[in-house]
Amino acid sequence: MSIEIKLSRSNRTYRPDELLQGNIITKLPSSISHRGIQLTINGSVNLQVRGGSAGLIESLYGVLKPIRIVKKSIEVQPSGKISAGTTQIPFSMILKNQGEEHKFYETFHGANISIQYLLNVDVVRGYLHKSLSATVEFIIESDLASLPEKPVSPEMVFFYITQDTQRHSLLTELKSGGFKISGRICTQCLLSDPLVGELTVEASAVPIYSIDIHLLRIESIMVGEKIATETSIIQTTQAQSFFMLRNLSYIT
C-alpha cells in the first residue's frame, strides 16, 4: 500500500495569499479503516551542516534551534474507510488567513541555512496498525502585496580593480607594471533574469588569457550582538577564453 500528495501545480510554487490545493492519492490492495486523515503544513528556518571544514556558521550547529515560521493542520476526512485500488482525495488549505501577523519568508536552500515548507499527510489507523504518511515540499514566493507594481529599474554599480585592491599575492610583473579593470554591474534584478554588466580591461602588464566571473552566496546569522557570515560559490562562468590584447573592452 502507498500514499502520496500531488499538488495542483507542477512547479509546487505558491504565494502566502493563495490556496494550497491538490489530491491525496492512495493505492491499496484492500480497503482499510482509519481514524481520520490530517494535513499539516510545517515551515521553518534551519541551520544545516553539509560537511567540509567547520566554519563560523557550522560551529553554531546544535546550538541554534530551528525557527518556526508556520504550523497549521486541518482534517481532510473524519473517521471512515478508504476503498481498495487507487483513490484520490481532494484537499484545499489556506496558507495565511487575513489578519495573521506572522510573515512567510521565501523558500531558500543555501549551503548552511534553509527556509523550507513541507506538507505532510497522516492517515491514522489506530494502535494495531501503522499510520500511512507522506511528505512533499512546496515553494513559497513573495507576497503579491510586497511586490512592486512596476518592474524595478536596474541599479548599476561601478567598480574598478587594480593591484592595490588585491589582498592575495600577485606576480612580480603585475606588482611593478600594474593593471586596471573597470566596469559596472546591475545589482537589482529578478532571479529569472540574467545578471548583466560591462567590463573594461584598461591596462595590464601581462597578457590575459581568460576571465572568470564567480557568483557568490553570502549567508549570515545574528547571534547576540555578533553576526556570523560565510561565503560560498554558486556558479562560475568563463567570460573570455581566448588571448586578449591590452586595452580591450567587452560586454558580459
Side-chain angles (χ1 to χ4, degrees):
M1 59 180 65
S2 65
I3 182 173
E4 67 173 322
I5 302 172
K6 187 174 183 180
L7 295 173
S8 59
R9 299 178 183 176
S10 58
N11 61 4
R12 297 178 285 114
T13 302
Y14 297 84
R15 292 191 172 95
D17 59 349
E18 296 177 332
L19 284 175
L20 190 67
Q21 296 177 311
N23 288 287
I24 301 167
I25 303 174
T26 60
K27 297 180 181 179
L28 308 173
S30 59
S31 63
I32 63 170
S33 299
H34 63 84
R35 297 187 177 181
I37 301 177
Q38 189 175 55
L39 272 177
T40 302
I41 290 176
N42 282 293
S44 60
V45 182
N46 298 281
L47 186 67
Q48 57 196 13
V49 175
R50 298 183 182 273
S53 59
L56 291 174
I57 293 181
E58 290 184 359
S59 65
L60 299 173
Y61 182 74
V63 178
L64 298 179
K65 296 181 179 179
I67 301 173
R68 177 178 294 174
I69 300 174
V70 61
K71 184 173 183 180
K72 184 180 295 186
S73 298
I74 63 168
E75 186 179 61
V76 179
Q77 282 189 1
S79 299
K81 287 187 176 183
I82 302 177
S83 303
T86 301
T87 303
Q88 294 192 25
I89 304 170
F91 66 85
S92 178
M93 196 171 185
I94 299 175
L95 292 175
K96 183 178 181 181
N97 294 313
Q98 291 185 355
E100 290 182 344
E101 295 183 357
H102 65 269
K103 182 178 180 181
F104 279 77
Y105 298 95
E106 285 196 338
T107 296
F108 175 76
H109 291 283
N112 301 286
I113 304 168
S114 69
I115 302 176
Q116 190 174 38
Y117 297 88
L118 300 174
L119 180 64
N120 179 262
V121 60
D122 287 299
V123 179
V124 183
R125 303 182 62 199
Y127 298 107
L128 300 179
H129 301 279
K130 185 178 180 180
S131 298
L132 298 178
S133 300
T135 302
V136 66
E137 181 182 7
F138 61 96
I139 312 301
I140 287 293
E141 286 186 342
S142 296
D143 287 297
L144 286 173
S146 64
L147 296 177
E149 295 181 2
K150 298 181 179 179
V152 178
S153 58
E155 180 180 350
M156 303 299 292
V157 173
F158 292 86
F159 64 89
Y160 70 92
I161 305 172
T162 68
Q163 67 276 7
D164 297 326
T165 64
Q166 306 307 298
R167 297 181 180 180
H168 59 281
S169 58
L170 299 174
L171 294 173
T172 304
E173 296 87 339
L174 286 176
K175 286 184 178 180
S176 58
F179 65 94
K180 184 177 182 181
I181 299 173
S182 61
R184 59 179 183 170
I185 189 170
C186 178
T187 59
Q188 190 167 341
C189 64
L190 298 175
L191 290 176
S192 57
D193 292 341
L195 187 63
V196 296
E198 182 178 315
L199 189 66
T200 303
V201 179
E202 299 185 19
S204 177
V206 298
I208 297 175
Y209 291 93
S210 66
I211 296 178
D212 293 337
I213 298 176
H214 300 286
L215 180 63
L216 305 177
R217 175 198 295 119
I218 300 177
E219 297 176 288
S220 301
I221 295 179
M222 181 173 287
V223 183
E225 297 180 354
K226 297 182 178 179
I227 298 178
T229 301
E230 286 191 1
T231 302
S232 57
I233 296 179
I234 298 177
Q235 180 179 331
T236 298
T237 302
Q238 192 171 73
Q240 201 68 278
S241 59
F242 54 85
F243 183 84
M244 183 185 302
L245 299 175
R246 301 175 189 177
N247 303 321
L248 177 66
S249 301
Y250 65 97
I251 305 296
T252 59

